[in-house]
Amino acid sequence: MLTFGLTVVLGLGVADAFPNMGSRLGVRDVARSVDSATSSSTGSSSGGVAPAGHKYVAPGPNDLRSPCPGLNALANHNFLPHDGRGLTVDVLVKGLSDGLNVSPDFSITIGGFGSLSSPGTTTFTLQDLDHHNFPIEHDASLSRLDFYEGNNYAFNNATWQTVLAYVPGNGADPNAVFNYSNAGPARYNRVKTQAKKNPTFTYTPLQFVLSYGETALYLSTMGDPSTGVAKVSYVRSLFEKERLPYELGWTKPAGQTSLFSLGAMIFALNAATGEPVPEGLILGESTLRLALAGLDPISGLPIPH
């Protein structure tokens, strides 16, 4: 279970990197968010049935969404506000915990960046998270175009098909799974492809870690945080429909997705891929914590934005 001390350290890391955040991510807010997420858990379901109050509803023309299919799916199921507005750190912590069993250590950092993306207000929107390399949107996405290529926030099927090409039947096999041995190379192929196509391609150690984190996150939340195995049909529902696949038999994982579990997955994904690790970078929980806080994952120093 996440300790209060670890969460405070993470929150302070974000505040140190971006001092203008100030009280918008204070220690009291962090403590309240952790208490809320760990003292109550709602949104449980049995396979095939969405929990009460959380059936899928497609976004309307005035609803706002982000470049992240996971956050969008949570909004489409009302774990986050369906209109994509009025988000706070507390709202994200509860929504990610109730909908996907993601721990507060991850959610608080994303909420901190959301606050930074909408200065001068007490809340932010999902659309506010659509900032290039800050930190959700990045080049070589699994399902989006690069910023250089155009629409970098909406699902792009041609891009996604290059990922499905790494699983049996190009994703059509109902028994196919994503695991380290195919998800890792699929991710690395996107990096190599975009490095050749995009003259403005950005892939520093920060993007290296965050890109692996994207793959680890879907393996964990659509599958198992300990094994890294997820049904392709579940992952397709998340990316293609931005819908939690209750009707396919999925349930929220019993094991919690945390910075520790994601760090271990990143290490395993890299080992399965064989991609060279940037000099000085050590993969794991601490590296991911630095990257999510907007810090250089090698030096721990702030990165200008």
Side-chain angles (χ1 to χ4, degrees):
M1 178 178 291
L2 173 71
T3 65
F4 176 72
L6 173 61
T7 309
V8 171
V9 169
L10 180 61
L12 290 176
V14 177
D16 289 341
F18 303 95
N20 290 335
M21 182 180 294
S23 61
R24 300 176 73 188
L25 188 60
V27 171
R28 292 181 181 178
D29 295 328
V30 172
R32 184 173 64 252
S33 297
V34 173
D35 289 342
S36 173
T38 56
S39 63
S40 64
S41 179
T42 62
S44 60
S45 70
S46 57
V49 180
H54 296 288
K55 290 184 179 179
Y56 172 83
V57 178
N62 297 317
D63 294 330
L64 304 180
R65 292 296 181 263
S66 76
C68 174
L71 293 177
N72 294 345
L74 290 172
N76 292 340
H77 284 273
N78 207 37
F79 287 107
L80 296 177
H82 192 270
D83 64 2
R85 296 172 169 84
L87 298 176
T88 65
V89 173
D90 290 345
V91 169
L92 273 185
V93 167
K94 181 170 174 54
L96 281 159
S97 177
D98 290 350
L100 295 171
N101 199 12
V102 174
S103 68
D105 58 356
F106 178 90
S107 309
I108 287 168
T109 309
I110 300 301
F113 276 101
S115 296
L116 282 171
S117 69
S118 183
T121 65
T122 58
T123 64
F124 59 96
T125 73
L126 285 177
Q127 192 175 58
D128 287 332
L129 298 174
D130 183 22
H131 287 268
H132 187 42
N133 287 326
F134 187 71
I136 290 177
E137 190 278 333
H138 57 85
D139 288 338
S141 164
L142 301 176
S143 62
R144 267 70 173 167
L145 295 175
D146 284 0
F147 178 79
Y148 171 81
E149 297 173 313
N151 186 339
N152 64 327
Y153 59 88
F155 174 76
N156 183 272
N157 186 59
T159 298
W160 176 238
Q161 290 301 316
T162 68
V163 175
L164 291 180
Y166 281 78
V167 297
N170 291 334
D173 183 347
N175 298 314
V177 297
F178 275 112
N179 51 38
Y180 299 137
S181 63
N182 55 27
R187 186 212 69 88
Y188 191 28
N189 177 65
R190 288 287 302 132
V191 171
K192 293 185 291 185
T193 298
Q194 293 309 115
K196 295 177 182 178
K197 291 175 59 178
N198 180 357
T200 66
F201 185 68
T202 302
Y203 195 61
T204 70
L206 177 66
Q207 283 79 35
F208 181 98
V209 174
L210 294 177
S211 176
Y212 272 105
E214 177 188 21
T215 293
L217 191 60
Y218 84 70
L219 289 177
S220 183
T221 58
M222 291 296 101
D224 188 308
S226 60
T227 66
V229 177
K231 280 191 172 184
V232 172
S233 59
Y234 294 175
V235 179
R236 291 189 65 181
S237 179
L238 180 71
F239 277 89
E240 297 174 15
K241 301 178 181 178
E242 298 187 338
R243 179 172 184 162
L244 299 180
Y246 295 111
E247 76 282 1
L248 300 178
W250 175 86
T251 59
K252 180 175 68 174
Q256 190 176 63
T257 295
S258 66
L259 289 179
F260 177 80
S261 67
L262 291 172
M265 278 191 169
I266 289 173
F267 184 88
L269 282 164
N270 177 257
T273 301
E275 179 181 10
V277 178
E279 184 177 356
L281 183 65
I282 300 175
L283 299 180
E285 175 188 2
S286 60
T287 300
L288 180 60
R289 186 184 304 119
L290 289 171
L292 287 172
L295 303 174
D296 186 313
I298 296 176
S299 69
L301 297 175
I303 298 174
H305 290 274

